[in-house]
Amino acid sequence: MTKKQYNNFCLHIDERNIATITLDVPGHPLNILNASVIQELDDIVRQVENSNSIKLAIFQSGKESGFLAGADVNAIAAISSATEAINIVETGQNLFQRIEWLPIPTIAIIHGPCMGGGLELALSCDYRVARDNSSTRLALPEIKLGLIPGWGGTQRLPKRIGIRNALSMILTGKQVNATEARRMHLVDDAIDPDFWERDVPRFVDRIYHGMKPAAPDRTWKHMLENSRLGRGFILHMAGKSISGKQESYPALGGALRAIQASYGRGPEGFATERNEFVELLGSQTCRHLLDLFFARERARNLHTWTTAKGQSQSPASISHIGIVGAGAMGAGIGQLAAVRGYDVSIREISEPAAKAGNDRVNQLINDLAARKKWSSRKTDRLRSKIKINCDEAVLDQCDLVIEAVTERQDVKNGVFAELDTRVQKSAILATNTSSLSVSRMSEATRRKNQVAGLHFFNPVHRMELVEVVRGEATDAPTVRQLVSFVKALGKTPIVTTDTPGFLVNRVLFPYLGEAVRMVQEGINPELIDREVRRFGMPMGPLELLDQVGLDVAHHVANSLHEILPDVNPVLEFLEEMLAQGHLGKKSNIGFYHYQNSKRGPSAITHENEAKSNTALIHDFVDDGLTPIQRRLVYPMLIESVRCHTQEVVHEAWAIDMGMVLGTGFAPHRGGPLHLIDAIGAHNLLINLRQLRDQFGPRFTPPKALVVMSAMGNKFFGPEETPEEALATTT
Ligand code: NAD
């Protein structure tokens, strides 16, 4: 029996000559693949290659947090030349190839996250077993960074799980749990955590004694799909399905080409994978998605949002959440908090409203349980964490109460005044308002310093961003506690000042308003929405307005009067629609007709496309946008600059992240301020002046942009990337 301790690994060889290679990267909560891990793994593999006695090798993690979270993203972002990239890719490819070629059986024992390079390592082993619990997740998520797997993932995965499953995992980066992984033969066994200690050694024993796991039962469908003809057809269809997105997301095409090459002869597939990876690493999309990755990390760092003075104090813990109002938002927030382990009490205004709220929460819980295939016991346990009633005292002992009632300042002030008299003195009172003043609500209480905004987006379970709004009197410990709470919910926080619309609605509404004006001018709603989707937004502005509800949009736009000075024509147009009962999707008619929640044709009379499009053509400096895109996107750029100047959110990276996560602003473009840098302040100024002359003063360039243009400044110098800023805060 021998044991050798490395910096990151422990190599243990037992009396049966089974080598167990355990990874435990020091100083990291999760194992990651960095240069030193790769170097040590290379040494260990060489030792196994040179040994005549080792009979079997096991790869596992020494951390309870998981197997391997993937390559170090910092190291990927720091690659500075194609030669360096080629070296790194080839080193990993060769190492994993050597593991695959080892003459002895190899097994990866997986629990927790097994992502990216972690899954590629596991795929180079002969066998894989995974612990069947909720924290086990397997994925090749590189596409989310604008990359493709570079260490053999595109080559081995299709062979292992079939072309269709592999395409779905690689092109979307989706995660699968142990049961799904077993179903698609990505792992040979999904082991119940209760029998983990017993069944893992049993699995190893069987392999040791030469018993192979039963070969997967291949159905005729699987065989057809993976025949040469079937494969060709599936790849062709996949190519068609990504054809509209490839320009913005070149990694989709790169992944497809690498997968296609995996069926070629010899090392050709690995070379294609390597070349595609290296080329993608230099793409703008990849740089923007990497920036976004670091921005998220930075936003989740408590120190980003709180002053150095308060850092030593750790936030008091919140365990019991109160919510006022079980409408769309209150129910969503309540369900999410319960899922994350909090006790939740919701107070409603009447018995029927409480009953309706209860139905809403139950629906959300049932949908989640169906998605996750939960047992009824687990579902009931979650349900029991949420209490909804009209009992006045129900919120008294809560640590945090979130108000989510009707969007009216007088109603909200009344709720805050009453909460202040009842709820324990240490509790924080927060509001989910979209557009009203947090500071005014705080004035209704005697704990102004403990009042803040907590602006969730709809639907709560799906939207990642939460705006934490600092009112005029909100103190640092309150902000810190709310940021921690948002993180504990699995969301990304952004701290904003208390100005109308905070960040996201403030930037979004001028754009939505411009879309309404274009409809008023006779431009086809379908054309507007199509152009915006081509720009990279997940849906067009008019589809979004229909979804939000025109009554809600009207209400918010009205409260943003201060920042939308010439909004009256937009409000009047919406009022006409509302007067006809056109509320959007919920009334089956808005800018579009709807049937069974499906969008139908436009419900607005419009002029023909060619005419409406040419009416916008002018002599603009080329900014890569079409006339319709320019007219719609520029208002967001103007407002983002204003938010930056007025420090609604302190830093440029955070504004961009907020707009991408809060509205889906074309992620491949990096956010509105990255887009301004790409267009150039000078070019933007010229185009804005033209738009102002054509459409009015709302397109007047903000002063800050004029200064930027004169000074040749950008928002993001090389020294201001979120990645480097992160390095200074962690
Ligand atoms: P909603 O109308 O669906 O729900 C409001 C609920 O509050 C109702 O169930 C009502 O019975 C209850 N209520 C009213 N007064 C009450 C009181 N005094 N005590 C207890 N309950 C009371 O509204 P919603 O869409 O959930 O919005 C709630 C808040 O969230 C608003 O401030 C809104 O601006 C904000 N918001 C909404 C969205 C959205 O898309 N719906 C998104 C972000 C923020």
Side-chain angles (χ1 to χ4, degrees), residues 162-292:
I163 182 88
R164 224 162 35 93
N165 284 332
L167 279 170
S168 146
M169 282 188 75
I170 292 172
L171 294 183
T172 64
K174 77 168 184 182
Q175 303 178 357
V176 296
N177 61 30
T179 311
E180 288 164 316
R182 171 77 188 96
R183 205 177 302 133
M184 55 173 71
H185 307 294
L186 178 54
V187 298
D188 299 279
D189 205 355
I191 297 178
D192 187 322
D194 289 342
F195 302 112
W196 183 249
E197 302 300 332
R198 184 195 74 185
D199 286 0
V200 170
R202 280 188 184 175
F203 183 91
V204 172
D205 265 6
R206 283 200 298 275
I207 302 297
Y208 181 80
H209 289 109
M211 289 182 270
K212 292 188 175 178
D217 244 353
R218 297 302 193 190
T219 59
W220 63 266
K221 204 167 142 208
H222 176 93
M223 289 193 289
L224 189 67
E225 266 173 32
N226 292 286
S227 67
R228 208 186 145 112
L229 206 66
R231 234 167 37 220
F233 178 72
I234 289 172
L235 283 166
H236 172 74
M237 294 310 287
K240 271 178 80 171
S241 75
I242 62 165
S243 65
K245 302 180 203 143
Q246 273 206 73
E247 206 183 317
S248 313
Y249 296 97
L252 294 169
L256 218 55
R257 285 187 290 278
I259 293 170
Q260 194 152 21
S262 74
Y263 293 96
R265 284 176 189 283
E268 194 184 293
F270 284 92
T272 307
E273 182 186 78
R274 181 199 62 206
N275 295 343
E276 293 287 352
F277 181 95
V278 173
E279 188 159 340
L280 287 166
L281 194 57
S283 71
Q284 270 307 316
T285 298
C286 174
R287 287 290 133 189
H288 288 153
L289 295 179
L290 282 170
D291 279 354
L292 217 53

Side-chain angles (χ1 to χ4, degrees), residues 365-438:
I365 291 178
N366 292 344
D367 291 350
L368 177 70
R371 260 198 324 273
K372 300 254 178 191
K373 301 189 174 67
W374 280 356
S375 66
S376 54
R377 218 174 91 220
K378 188 164 177 180
T379 313
D380 289 344
R381 219 171 27 235
L382 176 62
R383 207 171 275 126
S384 71
K385 289 188 84 67
I386 309 177
K387 309 223 170 350
I388 308 180
N389 56 46
C390 316
D391 177 359
E392 288 200 334
V394 68
L395 307 176
D396 292 3
Q397 299 310 315
C398 290
D399 308 305
L400 162 67
V401 179
I402 304 167
E403 165 282 312
V405 306
T406 323
E407 183 78 344
R408 273 181 40 192
Q409 191 85 50
D410 56 338
V411 175
K412 290 190 188 272
N413 284 8
V415 169
F416 270 81
E418 193 256 353
L419 286 175
D420 189 44
T421 60
R422 294 207 62 105
V423 181
Q424 57 171 325
K425 288 278 168 281
S426 59
I428 294 176
L429 306 181
T431 169
N432 188 46
T433 181
S434 310
S435 53
L436 301 174
S437 165
V438 174

Side-chain angles (χ1 to χ4, degrees), residues 323-331 333 347-350 353-354 356-357 360 403-408 411-412 414-415 431-436 454-459 505 548 552 555-556:
I323 298 173
V324 192
M329 298 306 289
I333 298 166
R347 199 179 73 193
E348 256 295 349
I349 197 161
S350 65
R360 238 171 255 126
E403 165 282 312
V405 306
T406 323
E407 183 78 344
R408 273 181 40 192
V411 175
K412 290 190 188 272
V415 169
T431 169
N432 188 46
T433 181
S434 310
S435 53
L436 301 174
L454 207 48
H455 184 218
F456 289 82
F457 294 84
N458 191 11
N505 280 338
V548 168
V552 175
H555 194 85
V556 177

Side-chain angles (χ1 to χ4, degrees), residues 378-537:
K378 188 164 177 180
T379 313
D380 289 344
R381 219 171 27 235
L382 176 62
R383 207 171 275 126
S384 71
K385 289 188 84 67
I386 309 177
K387 309 223 170 350
I388 308 180
N389 56 46
C390 316
D391 177 359
E392 288 200 334
V394 68
L395 307 176
D396 292 3
Q397 299 310 315
C398 290
D399 308 305
L400 162 67
V401 179
I402 304 167
E403 165 282 312
V405 306
T406 323
E407 183 78 344
R408 273 181 40 192
Q409 191 85 50
D410 56 338
V411 175
K412 290 190 188 272
N413 284 8
V415 169
F416 270 81
E418 193 256 353
L419 286 175
D420 189 44
T421 60
R422 294 207 62 105
V423 181
Q424 57 171 325
K425 288 278 168 281
S426 59
I428 294 176
L429 306 181
T431 169
N432 188 46
T433 181
S434 310
S435 53
L436 301 174
S437 165
V438 174
S439 306
R440 278 184 61 196
M441 280 173 232
S442 75
E443 277 159 17
T445 73
R446 280 163 305 164
R447 57 177 100 183
K448 290 190 197 120
N449 57 321
Q450 286 162 241
V451 175
L454 207 48
H455 184 218
F456 289 82
F457 294 84
N458 191 11
V460 175
H461 64 276
R462 227 182 287 144
M463 298 296 289
E464 185 184 327
L465 190 75
V466 179
E467 289 177 309
V468 175
V469 184
R470 199 197 298 264
E472 278 159 24
T474 315
D475 62 19
T478 301
V479 171
R480 213 165 35 242
Q481 271 185 292
L482 292 179
V483 166
S484 296
F485 173 64
V486 171
K487 273 177 58 189
L489 292 181
K491 303 281 177 190
T492 300
I494 184 171
V495 177
T496 79
T497 56
D498 183 23
T499 50
F502 317 127
L503 172 74
V504 172
N505 280 338
R506 175 170 174 167
V507 175
L508 191 68
F509 266 74
Y511 146 85
L512 297 178
E514 202 58 36
V516 174
R517 284 172 211 269
M518 288 165 93
V519 171
Q520 273 177 298
E521 289 165 21
I523 301 176
N524 182 355
E526 284 173 88
L527 176 66
I528 295 172
D529 284 340
R530 196 164 58 235
E531 289 277 307
V532 168
R533 272 186 261 110
R534 277 181 48 208
F535 170 79
M537 304 292 279

Side-chain angles (χ1 to χ4, degrees), residues 122-187:
L123 281 166
S124 69
C125 294
D126 299 315
Y127 307 103
R128 285 152 295 281
V129 294
R131 194 187 290 169
D132 195 3
N133 62 356
S134 59
S135 72
T136 297
R137 290 166 286 135
L138 299 91
L140 291 176
E142 289 80 356
I143 204 90
K144 295 184 177 168
L145 294 177
L147 291 168
I148 62 169
W151 287 342
T154 63
Q155 306 301 295
R156 295 192 178 91
L157 191 68
K159 308 248 165 60
R160 170 69 43 197
I161 64 173
I163 182 88
R164 224 162 35 93
N165 284 332
L167 279 170
S168 146
M169 282 188 75
I170 292 172
L171 294 183
T172 64
K174 77 168 184 182
Q175 303 178 357
V176 296
N177 61 30
T179 311
E180 288 164 316
R182 171 77 188 96
R183 205 177 302 133
M184 55 173 71
H185 307 294
L186 178 54
V187 298

